[in-house]
Amino acid sequence: MFNRTKNKKGRRSPMATVSLIVVGLMTTGGAYALFSSSANADDSVSTVAASSQSQVNQGEKLFASNCATCHGLSAQGTGEGPSLIGVGAASVDFQVGTGRMPMAASGPQAEEKPSQFTNEQVDQLAAYVASLGPGPAVPSTSLTKGGGDAAEGAELFRINCAMCHNVAGAGGALTEGKYAPKLTDVSGKHIYEAMLTGPQNMPVFNDLNITPQQKADIITYLKYVQDNSSPGGFGLGAIGPVAEGLFIWIFGLGAVVAMTVWLTAKSN
């Protein structure tokens, strides 16, 4: 009787066994999940690296067949074109994405035209040139979508850009057959890249001159100008008050003189 009671008290509870099984399953499952996530992360990094390298390789082929004649097989530059080592992806994205490169013919300035490459090919060329040396990267969408302060951007544009591009972004003539292009139909990304890289005769506005947020504000202002027509009606190309005054002087005064002549002839 005594021994039976003692064995009953010393027997393990059924709940203890269940608890041990649950703990074992949770430990095993957690270890498996941790291992799987680590493996997936490694696979993801490897995939991104392989994709980037593949993009660079494709870009190198495109460069050799379309750009090396002027810029050299290693982008070191020739007598026909400058070195591209260190210009960065942003410069390539702007020049090739706007069709300025490759140039159709030699001239004072590379003109904008439809791009000869798809967006994917532009990205590949940019990736290849970026792999040759550090340089400005393609800006993020958050800075180019036009969500900044339009009033602040208008003031910055008037101070830094209007002397060449006109206060309304209509463009203007420069010396030696060069010109500042109009900005009324340019994407925010290309505007940002132009400020960052200084193509053609444009100065470079790095982040010390104009901060990324200020660049976003300028883009916001230009998008406002693009999306809103002239409140005064026909804008005459938005080339300024001198042209508008000349228009009124020639056509307005001409109309008054013509009306005067007509009335005099009718009275006679």
Side-chain angles (χ1 to χ4, degrees):
M1 187 70 178
F2 175 76
N3 291 337
R4 188 178 301 169
T5 303
K6 183 177 179 180
N7 291 338
K8 187 176 180 180
K9 289 182 178 180
R11 187 179 302 165
R12 183 178 296 171
S13 172
M15 292 303 296
T17 303
V18 174
S19 299
L20 287 173
I21 293 173
V22 170
V23 170
L25 290 174
M26 291 179 64
T27 303
T28 304
Y32 178 78
L34 180 62
F35 175 78
S36 298
S37 62
S38 300
N40 290 336
D42 292 340
D43 290 343
S44 178
V45 171
S46 299
T47 301
V48 170
S51 175
S52 299
Q53 187 58 46
S54 173
Q55 200 175 35
V56 170
N57 293 339
Q58 291 298 322
E60 185 176 10
K61 294 177 182 177
L62 288 169
F63 185 90
S65 58
N66 295 278
C67 315
T69 303
C70 295
H71 295 286
L73 285 173
S74 301
Q76 77 278 9
T78 67
E80 301 296 327
S83 169
L84 300 182
I85 298 174
V87 301
S91 180
V92 178
D93 188 81
F94 174 82
Q95 296 286 1
V96 180
T98 60
R100 288 177 166 84
M101 292 292 162
M103 289 182 69
S106 298
Q109 184 168 321
E111 296 184 1
E112 183 179 4
K113 60 184 184 298
S115 178
Q116 299 182 20
F117 302 94
T118 65
N119 290 335
E120 182 181 9
Q121 290 173 326
V122 172
D123 292 340
Q124 291 168 350
L125 281 168
Y128 168 66
V129 173
S131 71
L132 302 176
V138 175
S140 65
T141 307
S142 62
L143 294 172
T144 61
K145 63 183 180 180
D149 187 333
E152 179 69 18
E155 182 176 356
L156 289 167
F157 186 84
R158 286 193 295 269
I159 294 171
N160 297 280
C161 318
M163 67 285 294
C164 294
H165 290 282
N166 177 282
V167 70
L174 302 175
T175 60
E176 300 179 354
K178 301 173 184 178
Y179 62 93
K182 65 178 182 178
L183 304 176
T184 52
D185 55 357
V186 182
S187 70
K189 181 175 73 167
H190 289 152
I191 293 171
Y192 194 105
E193 289 169 343
M195 288 188 282
L196 198 61
T197 61
Q200 312 296 338
N201 301 284
M202 183 171 172
V204 175
F205 295 104
N206 59 36
D207 291 346
L208 296 178
N209 301 127
I210 300 179
T211 67
Q213 183 56 53
Q214 289 175 328
K215 290 184 178 73
D217 293 340
I218 291 174
I219 292 171
T220 303
Y221 164 68
L222 290 173
K223 283 188 173 291
Y224 175 84
V225 173
Q226 292 172 4
D227 297 337
N228 294 272
S229 59
S230 174
F234 185 48
L236 298 176
I239 52 178
V242 173
E244 293 171 0
L246 185 62
F247 179 87
I248 293 297
W249 179 260
I250 294 175
F251 291 95
L253 186 60
V256 171
V257 171
M259 181 64 69
T260 303
V261 171
W262 179 77
L263 291 172
T264 304
K266 187 175 181 181
S267 64
N268 291 336

